[in-house]
């Protein structure tokens, strides 16, 4: 029979495709991959919708015990569910190569992921460069390689989708040291947190009295770099906010909607229709139009 | 009520999501956008599956007569169906801004598109640069701006997803001149056609006797640049082929499966697990491994 790798889409039990739902209902065992992303609902709601028990597969299980997942998959169908698209956050290549080695055929049922649903912001997907993930900084760890990726995109006039860190199933140092499996509450990075981390990596702005040359795109000057935030894309409560990096950094977290947050830093390849589309979510519509015209060179 | 913008996914009537299907069944009118992509099946099969008539909306209708689509959408639900994701090939921003102007709320139901389903090739989506579309060359029109986009990606070590031209509803010059609405059979660009166009834009290779320095990544040397083709991603008959540009250019069209074809030109950010995953589709497995190691620097 076959291993189904099934994308669940972006929010709840109804975002699965008809093809995916049929495959789940016909499967002997159903696993839910629970470490690269989260769904907006609990597994109980999925179980009720499918009429099936679900086995939660954490990273350990997928990476070190894939044979348990693949057990008997040459005789019965097995479904492996992934939030978003099965190849979105990680390719699951290890699991699929193992299936091949065991002569278990696999079938992929694709679905939306944030990588394509971000199109809802109205910027042409063709003009996005590489995607980055922004990790939580700590006192002693401030990784910045992602910032150079943003600059590379900016130099080419391309947009950058920035995905923000989540911390789930983390242990405190004390609990880790004592071997206690007690986990901290989950933490989701907000847009203001991500932008403030970004700004902390930039050189200090010149004082207002110094002669001002127009900043190059890859300087990411916070008052002249546009961005659009997106939370819960595809969910009824999705929230988009557009503005300069400075404007977004100053808003309260809850202005951006519930987690997960992400945002896009706009490259200079930006057109009048895109400006009009995103103006609807602007913190300051006049400033949005002004920066679009004076800095991004958008003409009607 | 509401305008639903619903992605149909990649292949047939079962690739719609459960949420999308419910919205279609509850809609008073159902439009199918029929100019940015094609589904693998006819509209009759969709109509049978939905139990609804479908109105085909061509580019003219969407761009110049959107008020017909939006008619009464403040009183009844209207569904507008798009193959793939609704924001994949074009953002439909005009239609959505018009809905806003008429105070018709809209709801987007996302789905897979080739932009994220290409993840099935096993290359991390984070390492893709901008996507390009390769148009059919004619005797007098050989646009090449897309090639510079590929080079920009290659310089950064990034992969390029190349989408290939389709010609549907085209008229011959004679029929166009005579105002006869007779259309040519559809044409879909094949991977060998696209690669031969690409190679025709490169400078001639140095003769074998000249001293050879290793080619830079953005030279796109056909014997040392790796690529992976993908046809009908998400379809049971999907076909992937991996190899150098030279190897792929020499294969027959039908080796790549049915249309639509696309392919990815690999940047140097390429890892051992990705090499192993794609080796399964290699024209020449030994050469795949050799180029991965000697040119791309892939280490185990």
């Amino acid at each position: 029979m076959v291993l189904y790798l099934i994308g669940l889409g972006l929010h709840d039990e109804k975002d699965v495709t008809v093809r995916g739902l049929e495959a789940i209902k016909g499967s002997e065992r159903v696993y839910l991959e629970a470490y690269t992303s989260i769904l907006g609902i609990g597994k109980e709601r999925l179980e009720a919708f499918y009429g099936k028990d679900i086995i939660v597969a954490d990273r350990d299980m997928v990476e070190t015990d894939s044979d348990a997942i693949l057990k008997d998959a040459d005789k019965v169908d097995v479904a492996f569910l992934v939030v978003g698209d099965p190849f979105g956050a990680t390719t699951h290549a290890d699991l699929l190569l193992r299936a091949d080695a065991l002569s278990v055929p696999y079938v992929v049922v694709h679905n939306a992921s944030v990588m394509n649903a971000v199109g809802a912001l109205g910027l042409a997907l063709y003009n996005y460069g590489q995607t980055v993930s922004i990790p939580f900084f700590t006192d002693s760890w401030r990784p910045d390689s992602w910032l150079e990726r943003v600059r590379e995109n900016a130099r080419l006039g391309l947009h950058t989708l920035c995905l923000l860190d989540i911390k789930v199933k983390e242990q405190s140092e004390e609990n880790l040291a004592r071997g206690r499996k007690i986990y901290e509450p989950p933490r989701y990075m907000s847009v203001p947190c991500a932008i403030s981390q970004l700004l902390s990596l930039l050189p200090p702005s010149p004082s207002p009295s110094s002669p001002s040359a127009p900043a190059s795109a890859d300087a990411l000057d916070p008052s002249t770099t546009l961005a659009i935030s997106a939370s819960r894309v595809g969910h009824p409560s999705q929230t988009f906010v557009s503005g300069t990096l400075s404007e977004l950094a100053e808003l309260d977290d809850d202005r951006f909607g519930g987690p997960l947050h992400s945002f896009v830093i706009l490259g200079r390849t930006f057109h009048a229709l895109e400006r009009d589309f995103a103006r609807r979510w602007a913190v300051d519509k006049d400033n949005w139009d002004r920066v679009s015209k004076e800095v991004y060179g958008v003409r009607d």
Side-chain angles (χ1 to χ4, degrees), chain A residues 49-107:
Chain A
F49 190 67
Y50 305 149
K52 293 253 174 198
D53 287 340
I54 289 175
I55 305 157
V56 172
D58 61 14
R59 185 185 290 267
D60 255 11
M61 181 178 201
V62 178
E63 291 183 356
T64 66
D65 198 16
S66 57
D67 283 9
I69 295 169
L70 294 166
K71 185 168 176 286
D72 300 328
D74 53 337
K75 301 186 202 72
V76 298
D77 286 344
V78 173
F80 184 81
L81 314 184
V82 182
V83 175
D85 184 74
F87 293 88
T90 181
T91 62
H92 297 99
D94 279 317
L95 176 65
L96 298 180
L97 287 174
R98 185 67 190 145
D100 258 17
L102 296 172
S103 300
V104 172
Y106 67 85
V107 169

Side-chain angles (χ1 to χ4, degrees), chain A residues 77-138:
Chain A
D77 286 344
V78 173
F80 184 81
L81 314 184
V82 182
V83 175
D85 184 74
F87 293 88
T90 181
T91 62
H92 297 99
D94 279 317
L95 176 65
L96 298 180
L97 287 174
R98 185 67 190 145
D100 258 17
L102 296 172
S103 300
V104 172
Y106 67 85
V107 169
V108 176
V109 181
H110 288 286
N111 210 319
S113 64
V114 68
M115 306 289 264
N116 73 329
V118 71
L121 297 179
L123 303 170
L125 286 178
Y126 290 79
N127 296 326
Y128 280 77
Q130 54 202 317
T131 296
V132 304
S133 290
I134 303 184
F136 274 118
F137 285 1
T138 67

Side-chain angles (χ1 to χ4, degrees), chain A residues 5-17:
Chain A
L5 204 68
I6 300 172
L8 295 188
L10 291 161
H11 171 56
D12 72 14
E13 71 275 16
K14 292 190 176 175
D15 289 320
V16 73
T17 66

Side-chain angles (χ1 to χ4, degrees), chain A residues 229-274:
Chain A
S229 77
S231 80
R232 303 197 168 183
V233 183
H235 182 283
S237 71
Q238 73 180 8
T239 306
F240 303 153
V241 185
S242 54
T244 63
L245 290 175
S246 303
E247 286 169 348
L248 298 187
E250 282 160 19
L251 299 178
D252 289 336
D253 284 4
D254 57 12
R255 181 73 172 68
F256 295 92
L260 308 176
H261 289 183
S262 61
F263 71 105
V264 175
I265 298 175
L266 270 66
R268 298 277 164 101
T269 309
F270 176 49
H271 306 293
L273 184 59
E274 296 173 320

